[in-house]
């Protein structure tokens, strides 16, 4: 809510916001009616800030058929039966369509026929597929076939959230436990699970990919995985100026609060780490974040 308050202040400032263009997105099926985003929209209207609401739905059947036609280099009338099945399975979500088609190709249900010189598929088998009702199942099945290093990298990235800096992966690669994450990163990038920008920021291509990667960690092990990950990062960053990475380290360790009290050698150091994180948040006037550490 703090960030949304800042956005409202900037956009409603009639003296200096005339050149500001703000785009915000949310999934209407994942936020409740009492979410702060709706309060922001209401306040912007009260402040006479001109807003435009755009409802972005999935592709309709005709547009999806056009996309499949372009991808397979076939006339729309030829691939319509396939696109109808894909629409039924994915509701026109482009990301889900792509994942489904890659899954079909990898399992030989969609393949290029050299003799016919075109892509062919078995409609009956594809129509009988039920795994695409849950894209997480599809992604998880794909991730379970990856190498150990790539899976470890995806687990680590999922613990950090939707994105992190490549320097953090560099810290981890110096440890014995996570020595393979650098190789894992190369695999995750080449497989299309993660993208990297010019400033070294690593990000999941979709939040469902991040969710599937996080599900690679058993629920019973999640807190301990976070805690151990934070401890490893702390051991390499202790005494260094790591900037905002201090929030990441403290947050990971704090996931395993039940292990902190039992770790007498580190309990005081962890308390000091949280104090530094809280003070740094206060320096940035982020009181809500500071409270979570202090």
């Amino acid at each position: 809510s703090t960030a949304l308050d800042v956005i409202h202040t900037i956009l409603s400032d009639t003296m200096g916001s005339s050149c500001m263009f703000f785009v915000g997105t949310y999934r209407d099926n994942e936020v409740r009616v009492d979410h702060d985003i709706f309060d922001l929209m209401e306040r912007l209207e009260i402040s006479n800030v001109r807003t435009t609401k755009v409802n972005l739905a999935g592709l309709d059947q005709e547009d999806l058929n056009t996309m499949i036609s372009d991808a397979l280099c076939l006339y729309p009338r030829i691939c319509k039966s396939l696109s109808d099945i894909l629409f039924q399975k994915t509701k026109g979500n482009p990301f889900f369509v792509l994942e489904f088609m890659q899954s079909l190709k990898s399992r030989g249900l969609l393949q290029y026929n050299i003799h016919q010189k075109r892509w062919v598929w078995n409609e009956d088998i594809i129509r009988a597929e039920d795994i695409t009702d849950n894209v997480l199942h599809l992604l998880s099945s794909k991730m379970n076939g990856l190498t150990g290093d790539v899976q470890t990298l995806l687990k680590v990235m999922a613990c950090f959230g939707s994105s992190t800096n490549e320097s953090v992966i560099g810290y981890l690669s110096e440890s014995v436990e996570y020595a393979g994450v650098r190789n894992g990163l190369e695999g995750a990038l080449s497989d299309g699970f993660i993208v990297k920008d010019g400033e070294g920021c690593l990000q999941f291509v979709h939040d469902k990919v991040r969710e599937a990667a996080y599900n690679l960690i058993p629920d019973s092990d999640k807190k301990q995985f976070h805690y151990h990950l934070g401890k490893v990062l702390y051991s390499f960053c202790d005494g260094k100026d790591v900037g905002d990475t201090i929030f990441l380290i403290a947050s990971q360790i704090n996931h395993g609060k039940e292990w902190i009290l039992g770790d007498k050698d580190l309990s005081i150091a962890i308390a000091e780490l949280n104090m530094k994180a809280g003070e740094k948040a206060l320096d940035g006037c982020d009181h809500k974040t500071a409270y979570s550490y202090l």
Side-chain angles (χ1 to χ4, degrees), residues 33-277:
V33 294
D34 60 347
H35 194 278
D36 292 332
I37 187 66
F38 298 116
D39 179 59
L40 170 65
M41 295 166 66
E42 183 178 349
R43 286 189 291 153
L44 288 175
E45 291 180 359
I46 294 174
S47 301
N48 295 319
V49 177
R50 187 171 62 182
T51 60
T52 301
K53 300 176 184 177
V54 179
N55 181 28
L56 185 61
L59 298 172
D60 60 30
Q61 286 183 269
E62 184 178 350
D63 290 336
L64 178 58
N65 189 41
T66 300
M67 187 179 81
I68 302 301
S69 172
D70 290 341
L72 302 182
C73 297
L74 293 171
Y75 289 117
R77 59 180 173 79
I78 296 178
C79 58
K80 187 178 186 306
S81 59
L82 175 61
S83 66
D84 285 346
I85 298 174
L86 294 179
F87 181 82
Q88 178 187 1
K89 298 289 186 181
T90 65
K91 308 305 180 186
N93 185 305
F95 177 75
F96 296 173
V97 171
L98 178 61
E99 288 298 320
F100 186 26
M101 291 187 68
Q102 289 178 340
S103 173
L104 294 177
K105 180 179 179 296
S106 65
R107 290 179 291 146
L109 298 179
L110 174 66
Q111 54 186 315
Y112 189 79
N113 187 298
I114 298 178
H115 300 293
Q116 298 183 38
K117 297 182 180 180
R118 51 159 286 189
W119 289 91
V120 296
W121 55 88
N122 188 310
E123 292 180 19
D124 294 333
I125 296 179
I126 296 176
R127 186 177 288 107
E129 291 282 307
D130 60 358
I131 61 171
T132 51
D133 291 336
N134 186 347
V135 72
L136 288 179
H137 184 102
L138 206 157
L139 288 169
S140 296
S141 298
K142 186 176 180 179
M143 290 178 179
N144 284 329
L146 300 174
T147 65
D149 286 345
V150 177
Q151 287 193 29
T152 299
L153 183 279
L154 291 174
K155 292 176 185 177
V156 168
M157 282 282 297
C159 287
F160 294 154
S162 60
S163 63
T164 192
N165 196 280
E166 190 175 9
S167 62
V168 178
I169 304 302
Y171 293 139
L172 287 172
S173 66
E174 297 177 14
S175 67
V176 176
E177 300 92 327
Y178 299 102
V181 291
R182 181 68 71 180
N183 290 331
L185 176 58
E186 295 178 3
L189 288 169
S190 63
D191 288 337
F193 293 115
I194 291 173
V195 293
K196 180 173 69 171
D197 64 17
E199 298 180 355
C201 178
L202 303 171
Q203 185 172 357
F204 282 105
V205 296
H206 195 280
D207 63 338
K208 291 297 182 183
V209 176
R210 186 256 171 183
E211 190 175 348
Y214 194 55
N215 286 341
L216 290 173
I217 310 172
D219 290 339
S220 58
D221 297 338
K222 280 184 169 65
K223 290 184 178 180
Q224 190 169 14
F225 193 96
H226 279 284
Y227 181 67
H228 184 262
L229 182 59
K231 281 182 58 179
V232 172
L233 279 173
Y234 176 76
S235 66
F236 280 93
C237 300
D238 185 27
K240 302 177 183 177
D241 182 10
V242 293
D244 290 345
T245 303
I246 191 173
F247 300 128
L248 182 66
I249 299 172
S251 295
Q252 295 302 308
I253 291 178
N254 291 346
H255 270 84
K257 293 179 180 179
E258 52 264 51
W259 285 279
I260 295 177
L261 295 178
D263 204 338
K264 296 181 179 180
D265 295 335
L266 274 179
S267 57
I268 295 179
I270 292 173
E272 293 176 345
L273 173 68
N274 276 273
M275 183 177 69
K276 292 178 181 178

